[in-house]
Amino acid sequence: MKNIDLTFCFKGARQYIHGTDMLNQCTVLLREKLGAGLEQLDFVIHRMTDRNLCLSLYPAESVPDFDTLEVADLKFAVAGEYWDARLSDVDDGPDCRYPYDEDVVVHLCSLDAVGRQIVLQQEAPYSEIETLVAMTKALHQKVFPDLDGSWVFCRWSSPRWPLVDSLKRVSIQLTQALGTRLTRSEVSLDGKVLGHIYFSARSNK
């Protein structure tokens, strides 16, 4: 597998490809092609796009130099082999849209703004990363109510993917503010750290 075109639909009222859809599509495809779950996953979004994407997969030791900044990249391992997947945008954009209500997840959570923690009390009807992103976004909105802009998902890292059979009782703790516009939060379940999620502050100007 070298280059594979990925087509998307816009999520809700958004005019850009959502990071959760990038991660979901890529990890499903990579697991199917490589025949196993992913380990040491590090997914980073470099910029937003309203275009469909092309996935390019390389062994980690032979990644070429790129002339332009990719939309996102995924670094991971499968059975001890290390890989690097790059996402670049193509000329055409999505021609579809589907509903997505993050409040459905938020209503299933308990949130402590002072303690900077949010906990999922019941199963959510979305994928793992959609659930975690919705929870983290709600937490940021409570902890930083005066932000001039919006918080967006920009990175996920974890020892394995997928994570667990059920995210019920999963906890997200905002642990670090990296400057004024980047945060790191710890995701854990029953005392075990599942991974870390990063958000960046996007200006509305």
Side-chain angles (χ1 to χ4, degrees), residues 147-185:
L147 175 74
D148 181 20
S150 57
W151 288 102
V152 294
F153 167 53
C154 64
R155 182 178 179 184
W156 169 264
S157 63
S158 59
R160 55 178 288 187
W161 191 269
L163 297 174
V164 290
D165 293 333
S166 170
L167 284 179
K168 186 178 179 180
R169 300 186 311 279
V170 72
S171 169
I172 299 176
Q173 180 83 46
L174 203 166
T175 56
Q176 192 174 13
L178 307 168
T180 60
R181 306 193 73 81
L182 180 66
T183 66
R184 179 176 184 262
S185 300

Short mmCIF file of all heavy atoms in Angstrom, two decimals, residues 147-185:
data_model
loop_
_atom_site.label_atom_id
_atom_site.label_comp_id
_atom_site.label_asym_id
_atom_site.label_seq_id
_atom_site.Cartn_x
_atom_site.Cartn_y
_atom_site.Cartn_z
N LEU A 147 -11.94 32.28 26.78
CA LEU A 147 -11.10 32.15 25.60
C LEU A 147 -11.70 32.92 24.42
O LEU A 147 -12.89 32.78 24.12
CB LEU A 147 -10.94 30.68 25.21
CG LEU A 147 -10.16 30.44 23.91
CD1 LEU A 147 -8.68 30.68 24.12
CD2 LEU A 147 -10.42 29.04 23.38
N ASP A 148 -10.88 33.70 23.75
CA ASP A 148 -11.29 34.39 22.53
C ASP A 148 -11.00 33.49 21.34
O ASP A 148 -9.94 33.56 20.72
CB ASP A 148 -10.54 35.72 22.40
CG ASP A 148 -10.96 36.49 21.15
OD1 ASP A 148 -12.05 36.20 20.61
OD2 ASP A 148 -10.19 37.34 20.70
N GLY A 149 -11.90 32.59 21.05
CA GLY A 149 -11.71 31.62 19.99
C GLY A 149 -12.35 30.30 20.35
O GLY A 149 -13.30 30.25 21.13
N SER A 150 -11.82 29.22 19.81
CA SER A 150 -12.39 27.90 20.08
C SER A 150 -11.28 26.87 20.24
O SER A 150 -10.18 27.04 19.71
CB SER A 150 -13.33 27.47 18.94
OG SER A 150 -12.63 27.48 17.69
N TRP A 151 -11.58 25.82 20.98
CA TRP A 151 -10.62 24.75 21.20
C TRP A 151 -10.83 23.66 20.17
O TRP A 151 -11.95 23.22 19.91
CB TRP A 151 -10.79 24.17 22.59
CG TRP A 151 -10.31 25.08 23.68
CD1 TRP A 151 -11.08 25.86 24.51
CD2 TRP A 151 -8.95 25.33 24.06
NE1 TRP A 151 -10.27 26.57 25.37
CE2 TRP A 151 -8.96 26.25 25.12
CE3 TRP A 151 -7.72 24.85 23.60
CZ2 TRP A 151 -7.79 26.71 25.73
CZ3 TRP A 151 -6.56 25.30 24.20
CH2 TRP A 151 -6.60 26.22 25.26
N VAL A 152 -9.72 23.19 19.56
CA VAL A 152 -9.82 22.15 18.54
C VAL A 152 -8.84 21.01 18.86
O VAL A 152 -7.75 21.23 19.40
CB VAL A 152 -9.55 22.69 17.12
CG1 VAL A 152 -10.64 23.66 16.71
CG2 VAL A 152 -8.17 23.35 17.03
N PHE A 153 -9.24 19.83 18.51
CA PHE A 153 -8.42 18.63 18.68
C PHE A 153 -7.23 18.67 17.73
O PHE A 153 -7.40 18.92 16.53
CB PHE A 153 -9.31 17.41 18.39
CG PHE A 153 -8.60 16.11 18.22
CD1 PHE A 153 -7.71 15.64 19.18
CD2 PHE A 153 -8.86 15.32 17.10
CE1 PHE A 153 -7.07 14.42 19.02
CE2 PHE A 153 -8.24 14.10 16.94
CZ PHE A 153 -7.34 13.65 17.90
N CYS A 154 -6.02 18.42 18.24
CA CYS A 154 -4.84 18.50 17.36
C CYS A 154 -3.89 17.31 17.49
O CYS A 154 -3.00 17.16 16.63
CB CYS A 154 -4.09 19.81 17.58
SG CYS A 154 -3.36 20.01 19.22
N ARG A 155 -4.05 16.47 18.52
CA ARG A 155 -3.11 15.35 18.64
C ARG A 155 -3.67 14.27 19.57
O ARG A 155 -4.35 14.58 20.55
CB ARG A 155 -1.76 15.84 19.18
CG ARG A 155 -0.69 14.76 19.31
CD ARG A 155 0.62 15.37 19.81
NE ARG A 155 1.65 14.35 19.96
CZ ARG A 155 2.86 14.58 20.46
NH1 ARG A 155 3.21 15.81 20.83
NH2 ARG A 155 3.76 13.60 20.57
N TRP A 156 -3.37 13.03 19.24
CA TRP A 156 -3.68 11.89 20.11
C TRP A 156 -2.46 10.96 20.16
O TRP A 156 -1.87 10.66 19.11
CB TRP A 156 -4.88 11.10 19.61
CG TRP A 156 -5.03 9.80 20.35
CD1 TRP A 156 -4.58 8.56 19.97
CD2 TRP A 156 -5.60 9.62 21.65
NE1 TRP A 156 -4.85 7.63 20.94
CE2 TRP A 156 -5.47 8.26 21.98
CE3 TRP A 156 -6.23 10.49 22.55
CZ2 TRP A 156 -5.94 7.74 23.19
CZ3 TRP A 156 -6.69 9.97 23.76
CH2 TRP A 156 -6.55 8.61 24.06
N SER A 157 -2.09 10.49 21.36
CA SER A 157 -1.02 9.50 21.48
C SER A 157 -1.45 8.43 22.48
O SER A 157 -2.07 8.74 23.50
CB SER A 157 0.30 10.15 21.92
OG SER A 157 0.18 10.72 23.21
N SER A 158 -1.13 7.18 22.18
CA SER A 158 -1.50 6.07 23.07
C SER A 158 -0.63 4.86 22.77
O SER A 158 -0.14 4.69 21.66
CB SER A 158 -2.98 5.72 22.91
OG SER A 158 -3.27 5.34 21.58
N PRO A 159 -0.45 3.99 23.77
CA PRO A 159 0.34 2.78 23.56
C PRO A 159 -0.30 1.80 22.58
O PRO A 159 0.39 0.98 21.98
CB PRO A 159 0.43 2.15 24.95
CG PRO A 159 0.13 3.27 25.90
CD PRO A 159 -0.84 4.15 25.18
N ARG A 160 -1.62 1.89 22.41
CA ARG A 160 -2.32 0.95 21.53
C ARG A 160 -3.56 1.61 20.95
O ARG A 160 -4.08 2.59 21.47
CB ARG A 160 -2.72 -0.32 22.29
CG ARG A 160 -3.55 -0.05 23.53
CD ARG A 160 -3.99 -1.31 24.23
NE ARG A 160 -5.03 -2.00 23.46
CZ ARG A 160 -5.69 -3.07 23.91
NH1 ARG A 160 -5.40 -3.58 25.10
NH2 ARG A 160 -6.61 -3.64 23.18
N TRP A 161 -4.05 1.03 19.84
CA TRP A 161 -5.31 1.45 19.24
C TRP A 161 -5.90 0.28 18.49
O TRP A 161 -5.18 -0.36 17.72
CB TRP A 161 -5.09 2.64 18.29
CG TRP A 161 -6.39 3.24 17.87
CD1 TRP A 161 -7.14 2.90 16.77
CD2 TRP A 161 -7.12 4.26 18.56
NE1 TRP A 161 -8.29 3.64 16.73
CE2 TRP A 161 -8.29 4.49 17.82
CE3 TRP A 161 -6.88 4.99 19.72
CZ2 TRP A 161 -9.23 5.44 18.22
CZ3 TRP A 161 -7.82 5.92 20.10
CH2 TRP A 161 -8.98 6.14 19.36
N PRO A 162 -7.18 -0.04 18.70
CA PRO A 162 -8.13 0.65 19.57
C PRO A 162 -7.80 0.48 21.05
O PRO A 162 -6.91 -0.28 21.42
CB PRO A 162 -9.46 0.00 19.20
CG PRO A 162 -9.09 -1.34 18.65
CD PRO A 162 -7.78 -1.17 17.97
N LEU A 163 -8.57 1.20 21.88
CA LEU A 163 -8.22 1.29 23.29
C LEU A 163 -8.79 0.16 24.13
O LEU A 163 -8.05 -0.70 24.62
CB LEU A 163 -8.70 2.65 23.85
CG LEU A 163 -8.07 3.89 23.24
CD1 LEU A 163 -8.73 5.15 23.78
CD2 LEU A 163 -6.57 3.92 23.50
N VAL A 164 -10.11 0.17 24.34
CA VAL A 164 -10.78 -0.78 25.23
C VAL A 164 -12.14 -1.14 24.66
O VAL A 164 -12.61 -0.52 23.71
CB VAL A 164 -10.96 -0.17 26.65
CG1 VAL A 164 -9.63 -0.04 27.36
CG2 VAL A 164 -11.64 1.20 26.58
N ASP A 165 -12.77 -2.15 25.26
CA ASP A 165 -14.11 -2.55 24.80
C ASP A 165 -15.17 -1.53 25.17
O ASP A 165 -16.16 -1.36 24.45
CB ASP A 165 -14.48 -3.91 25.39
CG ASP A 165 -13.60 -5.04 24.85
OD1 ASP A 165 -13.11 -4.90 23.71
OD2 ASP A 165 -13.41 -6.03 25.56
N SER A 166 -14.99 -0.85 26.30
CA SER A 166 -15.98 0.11 26.77
C SER A 166 -15.29 1.31 27.41
O SER A 166 -14.35 1.15 28.20
CB SER A 166 -16.91 -0.54 27.80
OG SER A 166 -17.74 0.43 28.43
N LEU A 167 -15.75 2.50 27.08
CA LEU A 167 -15.20 3.73 27.66
C LEU A 167 -16.00 4.19 28.89
O LEU A 167 -15.69 5.24 29.45
CB LEU A 167 -15.19 4.85 26.63
CG LEU A 167 -14.10 4.81 25.56
CD1 LEU A 167 -14.26 5.98 24.60
CD2 LEU A 167 -12.70 4.80 26.16
N LYS A 168 -16.99 3.43 29.31
CA LYS A 168 -17.75 3.83 30.50
C LYS A 168 -16.81 4.00 31.69
O LYS A 168 -15.97 3.15 31.93
CB LYS A 168 -18.81 2.77 30.82
CG LYS A 168 -19.73 3.17 31.96
CD LYS A 168 -20.79 2.12 32.19
CE LYS A 168 -21.70 2.49 33.36
NZ LYS A 168 -22.74 1.46 33.60
N ARG A 169 -16.94 5.13 32.36
CA ARG A 169 -16.12 5.54 33.51
C ARG A 169 -14.76 6.12 33.09
O ARG A 169 -13.91 6.37 33.94
CB ARG A 169 -15.91 4.42 34.54
CG ARG A 169 -17.19 3.87 35.15
CD ARG A 169 -16.88 2.86 36.25
NE ARG A 169 -15.91 1.86 35.83
CZ ARG A 169 -16.22 0.79 35.12
NH1 ARG A 169 -17.49 0.56 34.77
NH2 ARG A 169 -15.29 -0.09 34.79
N VAL A 170 -14.54 6.30 31.79
CA VAL A 170 -13.27 6.90 31.37
C VAL A 170 -13.18 8.33 31.90
O VAL A 170 -14.18 9.04 31.99
CB VAL A 170 -13.11 6.88 29.83
CG1 VAL A 170 -14.04 7.89 29.15
CG2 VAL A 170 -11.67 7.13 29.43
N SER A 171 -11.99 8.70 32.32
CA SER A 171 -11.75 10.02 32.91
C SER A 171 -10.72 10.78 32.08
O SER A 171 -9.73 10.21 31.61
CB SER A 171 -11.24 9.85 34.34
OG SER A 171 -10.75 11.08 34.85
N ILE A 172 -10.98 12.08 31.91
CA ILE A 172 -10.02 12.95 31.23
C ILE A 172 -9.63 14.06 32.20
O ILE A 172 -10.48 14.78 32.71
CB ILE A 172 -10.60 13.55 29.94
CG1 ILE A 172 -10.96 12.43 28.96
CG2 ILE A 172 -9.60 14.51 29.30
CD1 ILE A 172 -11.63 12.90 27.69
N GLN A 173 -8.34 14.16 32.45
CA GLN A 173 -7.80 15.16 33.38
C GLN A 173 -6.91 16.12 32.59
O GLN A 173 -5.95 15.71 31.96
CB GLN A 173 -6.97 14.48 34.46
CG GLN A 173 -6.35 15.42 35.47
CD GLN A 173 -7.32 15.81 36.58
OE1 GLN A 173 -8.01 14.95 37.12
NE2 GLN A 173 -7.37 17.08 36.91
N LEU A 174 -7.27 17.41 32.62
CA LEU A 174 -6.43 18.42 31.97
C LEU A 174 -5.21 18.63 32.85
O LEU A 174 -5.31 19.17 33.95
CB LEU A 174 -7.22 19.72 31.79
CG LEU A 174 -6.76 20.68 30.70
CD1 LEU A 174 -7.82 21.73 30.43
CD2 LEU A 174 -5.44 21.35 31.06
N THR A 175 -4.06 18.18 32.38
CA THR A 175 -2.87 18.13 33.23
C THR A 175 -1.85 19.21 32.93
O THR A 175 -1.02 19.52 33.80
CB THR A 175 -2.17 16.76 33.09
OG1 THR A 175 -1.88 16.53 31.70
CG2 THR A 175 -3.05 15.65 33.62
N GLN A 176 -1.87 19.78 31.72
CA GLN A 176 -0.79 20.70 31.38
C GLN A 176 -1.24 21.71 30.33
O GLN A 176 -1.87 21.35 29.33
CB GLN A 176 0.41 19.91 30.85
CG GLN A 176 1.68 20.69 30.71
CD GLN A 176 2.85 19.80 30.31
OE1 GLN A 176 2.68 18.65 29.92
NE2 GLN A 176 4.06 20.32 30.42
N ALA A 177 -0.93 22.97 30.58
CA ALA A 177 -1.10 24.03 29.58
C ALA A 177 0.28 24.34 29.02
O ALA A 177 1.18 24.77 29.76
CB ALA A 177 -1.72 25.26 30.21
N LEU A 178 0.47 24.09 27.73
CA LEU A 178 1.75 24.29 27.08
C LEU A 178 1.73 25.67 26.43
O LEU A 178 1.30 25.82 25.30
CB LEU A 178 2.01 23.19 26.06
CG LEU A 178 1.88 21.76 26.64
CD1 LEU A 178 1.85 20.73 25.53
CD2 LEU A 178 3.00 21.48 27.60
N GLY A 179 2.14 26.70 27.19
CA GLY A 179 1.96 28.06 26.72
C GLY A 179 0.52 28.48 26.97
O GLY A 179 -0.14 28.01 27.90
N THR A 180 -0.01 29.34 26.12
CA THR A 180 -1.37 29.83 26.29
C THR A 180 -2.37 29.22 25.31
O THR A 180 -3.57 29.43 25.46
CB THR A 180 -1.40 31.36 26.13
OG1 THR A 180 -0.93 31.70 24.81
CG2 THR A 180 -0.53 32.04 27.18
N ARG A 181 -1.90 28.44 24.34
CA ARG A 181 -2.81 27.99 23.30
C ARG A 181 -2.68 26.49 22.97
O ARG A 181 -3.16 26.03 21.94
CB ARG A 181 -2.61 28.81 22.02
CG ARG A 181 -2.73 30.31 22.27
CD ARG A 181 -2.86 31.11 20.99
NE ARG A 181 -4.18 30.95 20.38
CZ ARG A 181 -5.26 31.61 20.75
NH1 ARG A 181 -5.22 32.45 21.77
NH2 ARG A 181 -6.40 31.44 20.12
N LEU A 182 -2.05 25.73 23.86
CA LEU A 182 -1.94 24.29 23.66
C LEU A 182 -2.04 23.59 25.00
O LEU A 182 -1.43 24.04 25.98
CB LEU A 182 -0.61 23.94 22.99
CG LEU A 182 -0.36 22.44 22.72
CD1 LEU A 182 -1.35 21.91 21.69
CD2 LEU A 182 1.08 22.23 22.23
N THR A 183 -2.83 22.52 25.05
CA THR A 183 -3.00 21.77 26.31
C THR A 183 -2.77 20.28 26.09
O THR A 183 -2.89 19.76 24.97
CB THR A 183 -4.40 21.96 26.90
OG1 THR A 183 -5.36 21.36 26.01
CG2 THR A 183 -4.74 23.43 27.11
N ARG A 184 -2.49 19.61 27.19
CA ARG A 184 -2.31 18.15 27.20
C ARG A 184 -3.18 17.59 28.32
O ARG A 184 -3.16 18.08 29.45
CB ARG A 184 -0.85 17.81 27.46
CG ARG A 184 -0.50 16.34 27.53
CD ARG A 184 1.02 16.24 27.70
NE ARG A 184 1.50 14.87 27.68
CZ ARG A 184 1.78 14.16 28.77
NH1 ARG A 184 1.60 14.70 29.98
NH2 ARG A 184 2.24 12.93 28.67
N SER A 185 -3.98 16.57 27.99
CA SER A 185 -4.86 15.95 28.98
C SER A 185 -4.61 14.45 29.01
O SER A 185 -4.36 13.82 27.98
CB SER A 185 -6.33 16.22 28.65
OG SER A 185 -6.61 17.62 28.64
#
